[in-house]
Structures are given as structure tokens and as C-alpha cells.
Amino acid sequence: MLNGTRIYRIYRRMGWIGLSIVLFTFGRENAYCDDIYFARYQIQSENGMIVKSVLEMIPVSEEFRMEGFQRVRVRGMARGSHEIDAESAAIHDAVSKILVGSGLKSINSRRHMVHSGAGIGSGDVAILNFEGVVRFPVLVQSRKAVMENDLYIVDAEIDFAPIAFPTRWSALYIDHLLKKTAQEIRMFLHSAFLR
């Protein structure tokens, strides 16, 4: 017959084993972390003519407004295959294509007055924004330089998450807070019990 102390030790040991299994299964996140960037591709047009396009990428540590990541295969091209940074330019072109195809789209427009020697006229300016989140490093599958056209071409796989429609941001923020709290509890338990 088992006494109370021995039963207590058995249950305590089972608890430690269970806690260890949970912590190792859902343990601390990897120390190595991929770089995540908020990406915006802007196309500015004046009176129906494209005058400028800009790709902006800003590193972010936490971006809750995004949908889930998906791996996208895309081809990017850059002029100047002899340039040192032609591959980066081709990757940026690939990111721009993904943003135009799958990113959150918005438009800002305004009308402005133009004073010239011929009189007063008006002009329309429109800025199209395509937004998403990109995870680096990019997996480049093939590279080639086409000398006759002075092109550098990459075929790549890029982890991309479009920005969600603004009506979903509050729900995504609550989900982000819950995940962050669960991760902090997991890290606390890991550091407290597995030193």
C-alpha cells in the first residue's frame, strides 16, 4: 500500500514530465529570426500619365494588420545586368509585382490649379498604393543575365502577406495580443522551470 508522501511524489513527477513535454513542444521561438518588412508600392499619375513609381520597405518587428503569409513564385527583372546590385533591383521588381497583384489597394487623388502664361488650368494627381508584408531572405531559384537586352532576371519564391482590409484590423489586433501574451507566458515558464 502506498502512503500519502509517495503518491504526492508520483503526481509531482508526472506534473514535471507533463510540463516539460509542453514546454519542449511549444518551446521558445528560434533565436534566429527572419526580417519582416512592411512594403508599399506607389504609382503616381498626373492627368492619366504615370510620372513616378516608388517601392518603400520598412522593417517591422510586429505587424498585426496582415493576413497570413503565403509563398509566391514570381519573376523579377532589372535593367543593367552588368551593375553590381542588379540582383537586388530584380528582387525589388518581383516584390513590386506581388504587391500590385495581391496587395491591399488604395487610391488618393486630388485636383490642383496650374497657373501658366497661357492662363489657369487644372490637373489631376492620383496616387495608387499597394501594401503588404514581405519576409526576407528571398529564395532565388534561378538567375540569368541577358546581354543583348541588358537585363538581369531572377525567378524567386517570396513569403508575402497582404495587408487586411481596415474593417478587420481590430479583430487582428486582438488576435495579435492573445498570441503575444501566450508567447510571453510560454517564455516565462520556459525560463522559470528549464534553467
Side-chain angles (χ1 to χ4, degrees):
M1 189 160 175
L2 296 173
N3 62 16
T5 307
R6 188 163 183 167
I7 291 172
Y8 170 75
R9 285 184 186 155
I10 291 171
Y11 280 120
R12 192 169 121 191
R13 183 166 295 199
M14 287 173 51
W16 279 109
I17 291 170
L19 182 61
S20 299
I21 289 170
V22 167
L23 290 177
F24 281 118
T25 304
F26 303 106
R28 190 183 306 198
E29 301 295 321
N30 291 338
Y32 140 79
C33 185
D34 293 331
D35 294 326
I36 297 176
Y37 290 83
F38 169 78
R40 176 188 295 133
Y41 184 57
Q42 289 186 334
I43 299 174
Q44 181 176 339
S45 66
E46 292 182 13
N47 298 324
M49 302 284 293
I50 294 176
V51 294
K52 182 169 71 169
S53 61
V54 178
L55 174 66
E56 300 171 332
M57 289 195 294
I58 303 165
V60 291
S61 58
E62 296 179 11
E63 176 58 74
F64 68 88
R65 300 175 303 158
M66 65 183 180
E67 300 287 355
F69 276 102
Q70 350 171 350
R71 183 153 284 197
V72 181
R73 297 188 75 180
V74 66
R75 173 173 280 189
M77 293 183 242
R79 290 257 174 235
S81 59
H82 60 281
E83 297 293 329
I84 294 173
D85 211 14
E87 184 164 318
S88 292
I91 289 171
H92 289 172
D93 179 58
V95 169
S96 299
K97 287 178 180 175
I98 292 172
L99 287 167
V100 169
S102 303
L104 176 67
K105 297 162 184 64
S106 63
I107 185 167
N108 299 322
S109 62
R110 68 177 185 273
R111 174 163 279 192
H112 64 317
M113 302 302 287
V114 178
H115 299 282
S116 66
I120 298 176
S122 66
D124 294 317
V125 176
I127 300 174
L128 287 109
N129 293 306
F130 305 92
E131 297 174 334
V133 178
V134 179
R135 180 184 291 147
F136 280 85
V138 169
L139 177 62
V140 177
Q141 295 181 325
S142 68
R143 305 163 171 88
K144 71 178 169 185
V146 182
M147 295 303 179
E148 60 269 9
N149 294 336
D150 197 27
L151 285 177
Y152 189 84
I153 302 170
V154 296
D155 290 311
E157 288 187 1
I158 299 175
D159 290 330
F160 174 76
I163 296 294
F165 202 69
T167 55
R168 291 195 14 87
W169 289 358
S170 59
L172 288 171
Y173 181 68
I174 291 168
D175 186 45
H176 169 74
L177 284 180
L178 292 173
K179 286 179 183 175
K180 186 176 177 182
T181 303
Q183 182 182 17
E184 287 173 355
I185 290 170
R186 218 171 43 230
M187 289 178 67
F188 169 75
L189 291 173
H190 189 274
S191 63
F193 295 110
L194 293 178
R195 283 191 176 174

